[in-house]
Amino acid sequence: MKETKTAMMDVYFMDARSKLIDIAAFMDRAERYGETGDYRYQEFVKALDALRSSDRAESVLMKLSDPSKEPSEKASAGPAVGAYQKD
Amino acid sequence: MRYIEPHAHMVSRTMDDYKALAMAGCRAICEPAFWAGFDRSSVDGFYDYFRQLTEYEPKRAARFQIAHYSWICINPKEAEDPEFAREVIQIIPEFLKKENVLGVGEIGLNKNSKNEVAIFEEQVQLALDHNQLILIHTPHLEDKYKGTQLIIDMLRQHSEIDPNRVLIDHVEEHTVKQVVEAGFWAGITLYPESKCTPARAVDMLDLYGSTDRLWMNSACDWGVSDPLSLPKAVLELRKRGFDEQTIDRFVYQNPLKFLRQSGMEILPEG
Ligand SMILES: [Zn+2]
C-alpha cells in the first residue's frame, strides 16, 4: 500500500507552523478589535482545549458541533456559520 | 493517472473547467441534483434543471471525452416547503428511467428540520420503490454531526435498505467512522474552506482506506471550490508514500464499484 515511510515532519511541519501562527494572529486581531465576546470566538477558544486530547481533529469538530439530537421545528435562516451557540 | 470525479456540480462550471478536468485524467463525472444558489419558484424550474443535468451536461462533457452521469432529487435546502417538494418528487420517476441517471441524490439534510426529515424519508422510499442507488448530502459545519446521526438512524429503520447501495457524502473526522462502521459508503469532499483539505482526506484514507467503501470528490459548485481538488489529493497521496495501484483504487476503482451497482455500463473499458 505504502511505498516508503514518509517523514511527516519534512512534509507538514512548515505548513502546520504557519497555521499555528495564523491562529495566534487571529486571536490577537480579535482582541485588538474588541470582538472576543462573539460566541464564535468563545467556541473557538473552547475548541482549542481539544488539542490536548487524542483524536484532536475529531474533538475540535465535536466542540464546534450542535450537540442536540431532535430535528428542529423549522430550518434556521441563513447559512451554517461553523460554531454552535450553546445557550 | 485516471480518475472519476464522483460529485461535481458542473452546471455552475465553465468549459475551461471541463478541459482542465480532462487534462488531469478525469474519465467520468457524476453530478447530483442540488441547490443552485437560488431557490426555484416552480416545478417547471426543477424540470428544466433535471433536463439540463441529463441532456445538456453530458454533451458538454463529451466534448472532452468525459462520460457524464447524474443523480436526481429535490435537495434538502429546498425541502422546507413540503407541499412544493412533493410536487417536485412527482416528476422525478420520469428522469430515473434515463440511461445516464445513477439514482436518487443528493438527498439528505441541511438544517436538520422536521420538514427536511419528512422529505428525506419520502425520497428514500422513492429510491427503494424504483430500486435506485442513494446519494446523501450531510449538513454543513456545526449541523453536520447531528444531521449525520439523524440520517444513519433513519436509514437503519428501513430493513430493506442495503447499506452497500447508499453513499453518505461530505464526511469529516467526526462522522466518517460511524458511516463506514454502519456499512455505508462514505464520501470525502475536498473544499478549500468549509470542508476537508487534501492532507485531512489522506488522513482518513490512512485510517479507513482498507475498506473499499470510500471515495473523494471536489463537489465543485458555485461556491468557493476547486474542480481540480481531486488531482491535488492524488499529489498528497504520493507525498505520503501511497503506491500508484492504491491510488488508482481510491480514485478510480472504488467509485466505479459503487456506481456500477446502478446496473449501468459505466466506463465499460476500465
Ligand atoms: Zn453536492
Side-chain angles (χ1 to χ4, degrees):
Chain A
M1 186 167 185
K2 294 271 188 71
E3 277 169 342
T4 47
K5 190 152 170 25
T6 316
M8 286 305 135
M9 288 308 126
D10 291 347
V11 179
Y12 291 110
F13 179 74
M14 287 304 280
D15 178 55
R17 178 184 187 275
S18 138
K19 285 171 178 161
L20 180 61
I21 298 166
D22 263 343
I23 290 174
F26 161 69
M27 293 174 75
D28 288 344
R29 202 177 305 136
E31 209 165 80
R32 206 159 62 241
Y33 283 80
E35 292 197 21
T36 54
D38 187 287
Y39 81 91
R40 289 166 294 185
Y41 184 84
Q42 300 282 325
E43 295 304 323
F44 183 94
V45 171
K46 283 185 221 158
L48 292 176
D49 292 343
L51 298 180
R52 297 189 186 282
S53 67
S54 55
D55 298 324
R56 295 168 189 84
E58 181 183 344
S59 304
V60 166
L61 283 160
M62 287 307 290
K63 291 249 187 192
L64 297 171
S65 294
D66 175 359
S68 70
K69 291 192 161 38
E70 294 304 314
S72 56
E73 283 306 318
K74 269 190 80 65
S76 58
V81 295
Y84 185 75
Q85 187 159 23
K86 292 160 188 105
D87 34 75
Chain B
M1 179 188 93
R2 59 178 186 175
Y3 77 97
I4 293 171
E5 171 50 83
H7 187 146
H9 298 292
M10 299 308 289
V11 296
S12 48
R13 290 282 159 184
T14 65
M15 293 306 271
D16 293 322
D17 292 324
Y18 272 114
K19 188 177 174 188
L21 283 158
M23 283 164 50
C26 180
R27 302 285 172 83
I29 294 174
C30 306
E31 179 154 5
F34 84 139
W35 183 63
F38 188 77
D39 284 352
R40 283 156 279 227
S41 60
S42 68
V43 177
D44 285 345
F46 278 91
Y47 192 85
D48 292 341
Y49 173 55
F50 297 158
R51 282 193 56 208
Q52 185 181 7
L53 289 179
T54 55
E55 295 172 27
Y56 184 62
E57 287 306 322
K59 288 191 188 128
R60 291 215 299 160
R63 282 183 56 182
F64 296 99
Q65 286 72 49
I66 298 175
H68 182 284
Y69 307 94
S70 51
W71 298 83
I72 301 295
C73 76
I74 176 161
N75 67 86
K77 179 92 173 64
E78 285 168 288
E80 195 54 16
D81 176 352
E83 289 319 307
F84 178 58
R86 284 179 189 120
E87 284 177 46
V88 176
I89 292 172
Q90 296 287 321
I91 65 166
I92 292 175
E94 171 186 341
F95 289 91
L96 296 179
K97 289 185 204 129
K98 297 208 175 207
E99 69 202 357
N100 51 8
V101 173
L102 296 157
V104 175
E106 53 185 307
I107 56 172
L109 299 176
N110 181 53
K111 290 297 190 77
N112 303 324
S113 74
K114 285 185 173 168
N115 286 331
E116 291 173 16
V117 165
I119 296 303
F120 172 77
E121 290 265 30
E122 286 171 39
Q123 293 193 97
V124 167
Q125 195 54 52
L126 177 79
L128 290 171
D129 292 346
H130 291 81
N131 193 28
Q132 298 287 310
L133 296 179
I134 300 175
L135 177 68
I136 298 178
H137 165 94
T138 51
H140 304 284
L141 301 168
E142 69 269 27
D143 300 315
K144 182 178 299 294
Y145 179 75
K146 174 178 173 179
T148 306
Q149 295 290 334
L150 286 169
I151 287 165
I152 293 175
D153 289 348
M154 283 187 279
L155 293 172
R156 276 191 173 139
Q157 279 161 25
H158 288 269
S159 57
E160 66 276 38
I161 288 181
D162 174 1
N164 212 27
R165 291 174 57 81
V166 178
L167 188 134
I168 299 181
D169 218 331
H170 318 317
V171 298
E172 290 183 70
E173 288 87 343
H174 57 329
T175 56
V176 60
K177 193 172 175 210
Q178 31 182 322
V179 170
V180 170
E181 284 182 354
F184 301 106
W185 282 67
I188 303 169
T189 300
L190 301 149
Y191 254 11
E193 284 171 0
S194 58
K195 290 191 180 87
C196 190
T197 58
R200 288 173 53 207
V202 175
D203 289 334
M204 284 187 257
L205 290 171
D206 233 351
L207 290 166
Y208 302 102
S210 57
T211 164
D212 287 341
R213 285 180 279 108
L214 268 177
W215 77 26
M216 292 185 289
N217 58 69
S218 76
C220 57
D221 57 20
W222 45 268
V224 177
S225 53
D226 176 6
L228 290 178
S229 56
L230 234 152
K232 286 172 191 167
V234 168
L235 287 181
E236 192 76 22
L237 282 160
R238 290 194 184 124
K239 258 203 274 186
R240 296 268 281 266
F242 283 88
D243 61 42
E244 293 302 311
Q245 216 183 331
T246 307
I247 293 174
D248 189 65
R249 182 162 68 79
F250 289 152
V251 299
Y252 189 82
Q253 293 168 43
N254 284 359
L256 199 56
K257 194 165 153 189
F258 179 77
L259 298 166
R260 280 186 176 163
Q261 296 184 91
S262 65
M264 286 190 310
E265 282 222 339
I266 292 170
L267 298 175
E269 74 283 0

Short mmCIF file of all heavy atoms in Angstrom, two decimals, chain A residues 29-57:
data_model
loop_
_atom_site.label_atom_id
_atom_site.label_comp_id
_atom_site.label_asym_id
_atom_site.label_seq_id
_atom_site.Cartn_x
_atom_site.Cartn_y
_atom_site.Cartn_z
N ARG A 29 -5.85 39.70 16.77
CA ARG A 29 -6.69 40.59 15.96
C ARG A 29 -8.06 40.74 16.61
O ARG A 29 -8.60 41.83 16.74
CB ARG A 29 -6.83 39.98 14.56
CG ARG A 29 -7.21 40.93 13.44
CD ARG A 29 -7.23 40.16 12.12
NE ARG A 29 -5.96 39.48 11.87
CZ ARG A 29 -5.84 38.23 11.42
NH1 ARG A 29 -6.91 37.49 11.15
NH2 ARG A 29 -4.66 37.69 11.24
N ALA A 30 -8.65 39.59 17.03
CA ALA A 30 -9.98 39.62 17.66
C ALA A 30 -9.93 40.50 18.91
O ALA A 30 -10.85 41.28 19.18
CB ALA A 30 -10.42 38.21 18.00
N GLU A 31 -8.82 40.38 19.65
CA GLU A 31 -8.67 41.15 20.88
C GLU A 31 -8.53 42.64 20.55
O GLU A 31 -9.19 43.49 21.15
CB GLU A 31 -7.42 40.66 21.61
CG GLU A 31 -7.48 40.82 23.09
CD GLU A 31 -6.39 39.99 23.76
OE1 GLU A 31 -5.22 40.45 23.78
OE2 GLU A 31 -6.69 38.87 24.21
N ARG A 32 -7.69 42.93 19.57
CA ARG A 32 -7.42 44.33 19.18
C ARG A 32 -8.70 45.02 18.72
O ARG A 32 -8.92 46.18 18.96
CB ARG A 32 -6.38 44.32 18.06
CG ARG A 32 -5.56 45.58 17.98
CD ARG A 32 -4.24 45.35 17.24
NE ARG A 32 -4.41 44.94 15.86
CZ ARG A 32 -3.98 43.79 15.35
NH1 ARG A 32 -3.35 42.92 16.13
NH2 ARG A 32 -4.16 43.50 14.09
N TYR A 33 -9.56 44.26 18.04
CA TYR A 33 -10.80 44.86 17.53
C TYR A 33 -11.98 44.69 18.51
O TYR A 33 -13.11 44.97 18.18
CB TYR A 33 -11.16 44.26 16.16
CG TYR A 33 -10.30 44.82 15.03
CD1 TYR A 33 -9.02 44.35 14.82
CD2 TYR A 33 -10.77 45.85 14.21
CE1 TYR A 33 -8.20 44.86 13.81
CE2 TYR A 33 -9.96 46.38 13.19
CZ TYR A 33 -8.69 45.87 13.00
OH TYR A 33 -7.90 46.39 12.00
N GLY A 34 -11.68 44.17 19.68
CA GLY A 34 -12.71 44.06 20.71
C GLY A 34 -13.83 43.08 20.38
O GLY A 34 -14.99 43.32 20.74
N GLU A 35 -13.50 41.98 19.72
CA GLU A 35 -14.56 41.04 19.33
C GLU A 35 -14.47 39.68 20.02
O GLU A 35 -15.04 38.71 19.56
CB GLU A 35 -14.55 40.85 17.80
CG GLU A 35 -14.97 42.12 17.08
CD GLU A 35 -15.38 41.88 15.64
OE1 GLU A 35 -15.71 40.74 15.28
OE2 GLU A 35 -15.35 42.88 14.88
N THR A 36 -13.76 39.65 21.14
CA THR A 36 -13.61 38.35 21.81
C THR A 36 -14.90 37.90 22.49
O THR A 36 -15.00 36.75 22.90
CB THR A 36 -12.48 38.40 22.86
OG1 THR A 36 -12.75 39.49 23.75
CG2 THR A 36 -11.12 38.61 22.21
N GLY A 37 -15.89 38.77 22.58
CA GLY A 37 -17.17 38.39 23.19
C GLY A 37 -18.08 37.64 22.24
O GLY A 37 -19.04 37.01 22.67
N ASP A 38 -17.78 37.65 20.98
CA ASP A 38 -18.60 36.96 19.98
C ASP A 38 -18.62 35.45 20.28
O ASP A 38 -17.58 34.87 20.58
CB ASP A 38 -18.00 37.20 18.59
CG ASP A 38 -18.88 36.67 17.47
OD1 ASP A 38 -18.95 35.42 17.29
OD2 ASP A 38 -19.51 37.49 16.80
N TYR A 39 -19.83 34.84 20.20
CA TYR A 39 -19.91 33.41 20.58
C TYR A 39 -19.01 32.54 19.71
O TYR A 39 -18.48 31.52 20.17
CB TYR A 39 -21.36 32.92 20.56
CG TYR A 39 -21.90 32.57 19.18
CD1 TYR A 39 -21.80 31.26 18.69
CD2 TYR A 39 -22.50 33.52 18.37
CE1 TYR A 39 -22.27 30.94 17.44
CE2 TYR A 39 -22.98 33.21 17.12
CZ TYR A 39 -22.86 31.91 16.65
OH TYR A 39 -23.32 31.58 15.41
N ARG A 40 -18.81 32.94 18.45
CA ARG A 40 -17.95 32.12 17.60
C ARG A 40 -16.53 32.11 18.13
O ARG A 40 -15.87 31.08 18.15
CB ARG A 40 -17.97 32.65 16.15
CG ARG A 40 -19.29 32.39 15.46
CD ARG A 40 -19.42 33.19 14.19
NE ARG A 40 -19.50 34.63 14.49
CZ ARG A 40 -19.72 35.57 13.56
NH1 ARG A 40 -19.87 35.25 12.30
NH2 ARG A 40 -19.79 36.84 13.92
N TYR A 41 -16.07 33.26 18.60
CA TYR A 41 -14.73 33.34 19.17
C TYR A 41 -14.65 32.52 20.45
O TYR A 41 -13.70 31.77 20.67
CB TYR A 41 -14.34 34.80 19.44
CG TYR A 41 -12.93 34.93 19.93
CD1 TYR A 41 -11.87 34.97 19.02
CD2 TYR A 41 -12.64 34.98 21.29
CE1 TYR A 41 -10.55 35.04 19.46
CE2 TYR A 41 -11.33 35.06 21.74
CZ TYR A 41 -10.29 35.10 20.83
OH TYR A 41 -8.99 35.16 21.27
N GLN A 42 -15.68 32.65 21.28
CA GLN A 42 -15.71 31.90 22.53
C GLN A 42 -15.65 30.39 22.29
O GLN A 42 -14.91 29.67 22.96
CB GLN A 42 -17.00 32.22 23.31
CG GLN A 42 -17.16 33.70 23.67
CD GLN A 42 -16.31 34.09 24.86
OE1 GLN A 42 -16.14 33.28 25.76
NE2 GLN A 42 -15.78 35.30 24.86
N GLU A 43 -16.43 29.94 21.30
CA GLU A 43 -16.43 28.49 20.99
C GLU A 43 -15.09 28.08 20.41
O GLU A 43 -14.60 26.97 20.65
CB GLU A 43 -17.58 28.14 20.03
CG GLU A 43 -18.98 28.34 20.61
CD GLU A 43 -19.23 27.59 21.90
OE1 GLU A 43 -18.73 26.46 22.05
OE2 GLU A 43 -19.92 28.14 22.79
N PHE A 44 -14.48 28.95 19.64
CA PHE A 44 -13.16 28.69 19.06
C PHE A 44 -12.13 28.46 20.18
O PHE A 44 -11.38 27.49 20.15
CB PHE A 44 -12.75 29.91 18.19
CG PHE A 44 -11.45 29.77 17.47
CD1 PHE A 44 -11.41 29.31 16.16
CD2 PHE A 44 -10.25 30.12 18.08
CE1 PHE A 44 -10.20 29.19 15.49
CE2 PHE A 44 -9.04 30.00 17.41
CZ PHE A 44 -9.01 29.53 16.11
N VAL A 45 -12.15 29.36 21.16
CA VAL A 45 -11.19 29.24 22.26
C VAL A 45 -11.42 27.94 23.03
O VAL A 45 -10.48 27.22 23.38
CB VAL A 45 -11.27 30.48 23.20
CG1 VAL A 45 -10.44 30.28 24.45
CG2 VAL A 45 -10.82 31.73 22.44
N LYS A 46 -12.71 27.61 23.24
CA LYS A 46 -13.01 26.34 23.95
C LYS A 46 -12.52 25.14 23.14
O LYS A 46 -12.05 24.15 23.69
CB LYS A 46 -14.52 26.21 24.19
CG LYS A 46 -15.01 27.06 25.33
CD LYS A 46 -16.49 26.78 25.58
CE LYS A 46 -17.24 28.07 25.87
NZ LYS A 46 -18.68 27.97 25.62
N ALA A 47 -12.62 25.25 21.82
CA ALA A 47 -12.21 24.13 20.96
C ALA A 47 -10.70 23.91 21.02
O ALA A 47 -10.22 22.80 20.79
CB ALA A 47 -12.65 24.38 19.51
N LEU A 48 -9.96 24.95 21.38
CA LEU A 48 -8.51 24.79 21.50
C LEU A 48 -8.15 23.75 22.57
O LEU A 48 -7.12 23.08 22.46
CB LEU A 48 -7.83 26.12 21.83
CG LEU A 48 -7.86 27.20 20.74
CD1 LEU A 48 -7.24 28.49 21.26
CD2 LEU A 48 -7.12 26.75 19.49
N ASP A 49 -9.02 23.61 23.58
CA ASP A 49 -8.77 22.59 24.62
C ASP A 49 -8.65 21.20 24.01
O ASP A 49 -7.95 20.34 24.55
CB ASP A 49 -9.94 22.56 25.62
CG ASP A 49 -9.99 23.83 26.46
OD1 ASP A 49 -8.98 24.56 26.50
OD2 ASP A 49 -11.06 24.08 27.06
N ALA A 50 -9.37 20.99 22.91
CA ALA A 50 -9.37 19.66 22.29
C ALA A 50 -7.99 19.28 21.76
O ALA A 50 -7.71 18.11 21.51
CB ALA A 50 -10.40 19.60 21.17
N LEU A 51 -7.11 20.27 21.60
CA LEU A 51 -5.76 19.97 21.11
C LEU A 51 -4.98 19.14 22.14
O LEU A 51 -3.96 18.55 21.81
CB LEU A 51 -5.00 21.26 20.80
CG LEU A 51 -5.62 22.14 19.70
CD1 LEU A 51 -4.77 23.39 19.48
CD2 LEU A 51 -5.72 21.36 18.38
N ARG A 52 -5.47 19.12 23.37
CA ARG A 52 -4.79 18.33 24.39
C ARG A 52 -5.30 16.89 24.46
O ARG A 52 -4.81 16.10 25.23
CB ARG A 52 -4.95 18.99 25.76
CG ARG A 52 -4.31 20.36 25.81
CD ARG A 52 -4.27 20.94 27.22
NE ARG A 52 -3.78 22.30 27.18
CZ ARG A 52 -2.49 22.63 27.06
NH1 ARG A 52 -1.57 21.68 27.00
NH2 ARG A 52 -2.11 23.90 27.01
N SER A 53 -6.32 16.60 23.66
CA SER A 53 -6.86 15.23 23.69
C SER A 53 -6.13 14.37 22.66
O SER A 53 -5.26 14.85 21.95
CB SER A 53 -8.35 15.27 23.32
OG SER A 53 -8.49 15.66 21.97
N SER A 54 -6.50 13.09 22.57
CA SER A 54 -6.09 12.33 21.40
C SER A 54 -7.25 12.51 20.41
O SER A 54 -8.27 13.08 20.77
CB SER A 54 -5.88 10.85 21.76
OG SER A 54 -7.05 10.36 22.35
N ASP A 55 -7.15 12.06 19.19
CA ASP A 55 -8.19 12.30 18.17
C ASP A 55 -8.55 13.78 18.14
O ASP A 55 -9.71 14.17 18.32
CB ASP A 55 -9.46 11.48 18.46
CG ASP A 55 -9.18 10.00 18.41
OD1 ASP A 55 -8.35 9.59 17.57
OD2 ASP A 55 -9.77 9.27 19.21
N ARG A 56 -7.54 14.62 17.95
CA ARG A 56 -7.73 16.08 18.06
C ARG A 56 -8.68 16.63 17.01
O ARG A 56 -9.53 17.48 17.32
CB ARG A 56 -6.37 16.78 17.97
CG ARG A 56 -5.47 16.43 19.13
CD ARG A 56 -4.05 16.88 18.88
NE ARG A 56 -3.16 16.35 19.91
CZ ARG A 56 -2.63 15.14 19.87
NH1 ARG A 56 -2.86 14.33 18.87
NH2 ARG A 56 -1.84 14.72 20.86
N ALA A 57 -8.54 16.19 15.75
CA ALA A 57 -9.38 16.75 14.68
C ALA A 57 -10.85 16.45 14.99
O ALA A 57 -11.71 17.33 14.92
CB ALA A 57 -8.98 16.17 13.33
#
